[in-house]
Amino acid sequence: MGGTFNPIHYGHLVAAEVARDAFELERVIFVPAGQPPHKKPVIADAQHRYLMAFLATAANPWFELSRMEMDRPGPSYTSETLAHFHAQEPEALWYFITGADAVMEMPTWHAAADIFRHAEVIAASRPGYAVRIEHVTAALPAATGRVHQLEVPALAISSSAIRQRVARGWSVRYLVPDAVMQYIRKNRLYGSGP
Ligand code: NAP
């Protein structure tokens, strides 16, 4: 489960749980991006994003959390992350779960074809969002038959909306786990006041 998780929210958690059922996953490993390749460094510090992901996932026995991308210097390329996991358990069937918008951009990613040598991809989307998988496969033939759409109503929640709400002093209760809400407040993230 890859994402910037800035911050992690219930949409991500529900998506992971729904994917676990739908694809009969043994476990879901959350991998916060250390240095997202496509973003300027305006995002919350990787350590904050990691700790919020820890608070959000710790109670679920099927969820794990990896520091792998955070601890690897340089941009967090998904192809390298999946090569690492695949090498650990080459006989396992690996899936890379992330947001559908991100999946649509995959043809532009570093060594994108390698991703599909190591894993299939689950594009989590809110209902009604048309994931144009054929656009991805037209530009990236290695993706053919290896991208799955998963509709998740809870993905109406978004990290950007949470950041905006925090900056305005509005509540994010019921959008993020309580511990994450308190962590944001305590560390004054996203423009939250004292
Ligand atoms: P993003 O562009 O910030 O997000 C695109 C959309 O997907 C947003 O609506 C986002 O919602 C949603 N999303 C992101 N992660 C999700 C998840 N795990 N479950 C459900 N929805 C999710 O994408 P990003 O978060 O920075 O990156 C997504 C993943 O792609 C990361 O693992 C990143 O490292 C990888 N990536 C790799 C490359 C590369 O290898 N070159 C390039 C770009 C991205 P929220 O904002 O609410 O999360």
Side-chain angles (χ1 to χ4, degrees):
M1 177 83 161
T4 303
F5 301 128
N6 187 35
I8 195 164
H9 54 64
Y10 278 128
H12 300 129
L13 297 168
V14 171
E17 192 71 351
V18 168
R20 197 171 69 73
D21 280 335
F23 293 86
E24 301 182 341
L25 308 181
E26 199 173 287
R27 59 201 162 116
V28 179
I29 308 171
F30 286 72
V31 186
Q35 201 176 307
H38 55 312
K39 291 197 174 158
K40 301 214 166 70
V42 291
I43 56 169
D45 180 79
Q47 185 68 8
H48 283 315
R49 292 184 289 106
Y50 174 85
L51 287 173
M52 289 189 282
F54 175 81
L55 292 170
T57 57
N60 187 320
W62 292 280
F63 286 178
E64 294 176 13
L65 182 61
S66 168
R67 295 183 55 90
M68 211 203 19
E69 289 196 355
M70 290 179 50
D71 292 344
R72 196 170 66 213
S76 300
Y77 292 125
T78 299
S79 53
E80 293 177 5
T81 302
L82 290 170
H84 166 92
F85 283 120
H86 185 258
Q88 280 192 336
E89 285 183 51
E91 73 290 350
L93 175 54
W94 288 93
Y95 290 91
F96 175 60
I97 312 168
T98 197
D101 287 341
V103 172
M104 295 304 294
E105 296 296 320
M106 279 180 117
T108 67
W109 291 7
H110 173 78
D114 284 354
I115 291 171
F116 295 94
R117 286 202 296 123
H118 303 309
E120 300 194 11
V121 169
I122 299 173
S125 67
R126 68 191 67 91
Y129 177 100
V131 183
R132 304 216 180 277
I133 293 175
E134 67 279 9
H135 287 194
V136 180
T137 51
L140 190 57
T144 306
R146 294 177 73 79
V147 180
H148 312 273
Q149 182 176 4
L150 183 71
E151 290 196 342
V152 183
L155 282 175
I157 302 172
S158 76
S159 297
S160 58
I162 289 166
R163 294 194 301 271
Q164 283 170 12
R165 293 183 70 86
V166 169
R168 288 176 184 155
W170 294 359
S171 169
V172 293
R173 197 184 297 277
Y174 311 128
L175 301 177
V176 300
D178 281 355
V180 172
M181 183 178 73
Q182 286 157 12
Y183 185 96
I184 290 170
R185 203 180 287 155
K186 177 176 171 185
N187 292 282
R188 302 194 181 171
L189 302 182
Y190 312 123
S192 53

